[in-house]
């Protein structure tokens, strides 16, 4: 499963800038649809495009591994 750390990036941005960052403001800053950002931040295993990931990483000036984490599925029996 893919896990997104968008909430952490938003929290870190807010700490660094000393103010709140809304999903609407993030959508305007990235060009990523507001509903997609909401799903990325809250829906487990949400599927999005690499373009959206690129835009988010550009906005936060972060590496992809700061936004995305791969968590192996315990039920995945590949190679067995």
């Amino acid at each position: 499963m893919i896990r997104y750390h968008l909430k952490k990036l938003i929290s870190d941005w807010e700490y660094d800038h000393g103010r709140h960052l809304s999903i609407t403001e993030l959508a305007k800053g990235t060009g990523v649809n507001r509903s997609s950002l909401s799903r990325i931040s809250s829906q487990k295993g949400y599927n999005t495009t690499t373009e959206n990931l690129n835009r988010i990483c550009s906005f936060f000036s972060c590496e992809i591994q700061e936004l995305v984490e791969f968590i192996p599925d315990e039920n995945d029996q590949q190679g067995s």
Side-chain angles (χ1 to χ4, degrees):
M1 174 178 57
I2 299 297
R3 179 178 180 188
Y4 299 103
H5 297 287
L6 184 57
K7 287 182 181 179
K8 180 183 181 328
L9 289 173
I10 290 171
S11 177
D12 291 347
W13 187 97
E14 290 175 339
Y15 180 82
D16 291 343
H17 291 83
R19 65 179 189 85
H20 178 71
L21 175 64
S22 70
I23 293 292
T24 301
E25 183 180 354
L26 182 57
K28 288 178 184 175
T30 60
V32 177
N33 186 293
R34 187 183 175 288
S35 64
S36 293
L37 290 169
S38 292
R39 288 183 182 120
I40 290 168
S41 70
S42 62
Q43 190 176 3
K44 202 174 196 180
Y46 179 70
N47 186 11
T48 191
T49 66
T50 54
E51 180 61 28
N52 286 347
L53 299 177
N54 183 62
R55 290 176 179 193
I56 294 167
C57 286
S58 292
F59 180 88
F60 289 109
S61 299
C62 70
E63 299 291 327
I64 190 72
Q65 61 269 25
E66 295 175 76
L67 173 61
V68 178
E69 175 185 9
F70 171 71
I71 300 174
D73 185 359
E74 293 176 6
N75 298 324
D76 189 7
Q77 298 296 322
Q78 288 183 354
S80 298

